Amino acid sequence: MERIILNKNNYKIWSKIVTGELEDASLVHTILPHIDTNNTEKTGEETIETDSIRPKDDSKARRIIYKHLSEDTWTEIEDIDTAFEIWKYLKAYYEESDDEKARKYKKRLEELTYKGETVRTYIVSFENL
C-alpha cells in the first residue's frame, strides 16, 4: 500500500487507509476501545481493556501508524505508550470539528454561481420578484 502522511487536510482518508492496513494485519483491535469489568482503564468516555492487547500486537500497530506520520507529528506522539492512545490523540487533533465543517461548506455555498451570479445574489434577486 502507498504511504500517506497525515496532515490537517487529509485525516479522513488517512484514517481509512491506516485502519485498512491495521485490519489487513489483524491489528485493528489495538485502536478500538474494549470493555472489560476486571482490568480496565477509563479514558474519558471510553474504557479500554488493559490486558486484552498483546504487547507485540500493540508494537506492530504503532509501527504501522508511525510510518504514516511526518517527523513533526511523530515527535508530538513519541511519548504516548499505546496504539489506542496514539490513535485517540491523532483523531482529537486532526479530525475536522463540526464548526470547521460548517465554515467550509458555508464558504463553498457562497462561492457557487448560477448564470454568472453568486448564489447569494441570485437568491436575493429571486426573493425580490
Side-chain angles (χ1 to χ4, degrees):
M1 174 144 273
E2 201 170 306
R3 185 171 178 231
I4 181 172
I5 302 299
L6 175 64
N7 63 51
K8 270 288 195 188
N9 299 317
N10 71 352
Y11 174 78
K12 190 173 183 177
I13 189 70
W14 177 90
S15 66
K16 294 206 180 293
I17 289 171
V18 175
T19 299
E21 284 191 40
L22 292 167
E23 286 172 350
D24 290 347
S26 299
L27 296 170
V28 75
H29 66 281
T30 62
I31 62 166
L32 300 175
H34 300 277
I35 299 174
D36 179 29
T37 54
N38 299 327
N39 299 312
T40 61
E41 177 183 319
K42 190 73 173 166
T43 57
E45 295 178 1
E46 296 116 355
T47 303
I48 186 168
E49 184 179 336
T50 55
D51 292 339
S52 68
I53 300 170
R54 295 183 357 214
K56 188 174 184 177
D57 286 350
D58 188 69
S59 178
K60 288 178 184 177
R62 283 185 284 124
R63 281 197 307 271
I64 288 171
I65 295 169
Y66 290 156
K67 79 176 183 178
H68 293 284
L69 301 177
S70 67
E71 279 188 48
D72 292 338
T73 304
W74 189 86
T75 57
E76 291 175 29
I77 55 101
E78 69 181 315
D79 294 330
I80 300 176
D81 296 328
T82 66
F84 173 79
E85 292 168 332
I86 291 169
W87 194 262
K88 186 177 172 185
Y89 173 85
L90 293 172
K91 182 177 181 179
Y93 187 79
Y94 286 97
E95 189 172 45
E96 198 172 45
S97 72
D98 289 340
D99 288 341
E100 289 170 330
K101 287 178 190 175
R103 271 193 300 279
K104 181 171 72 175
Y105 291 122
K106 183 179 178 187
K107 182 179 177 189
R108 284 184 185 169
L109 182 62
E110 289 173 352
E111 292 172 349
L112 287 175
T113 59
Y114 180 72
K115 294 184 179 180
E117 296 183 49
T118 65
V119 171
R120 182 181 302 260
T121 305
Y122 187 77
I123 290 171
V124 169
S125 299
F126 184 76
E127 288 175 343
N128 291 332
L129 290 177

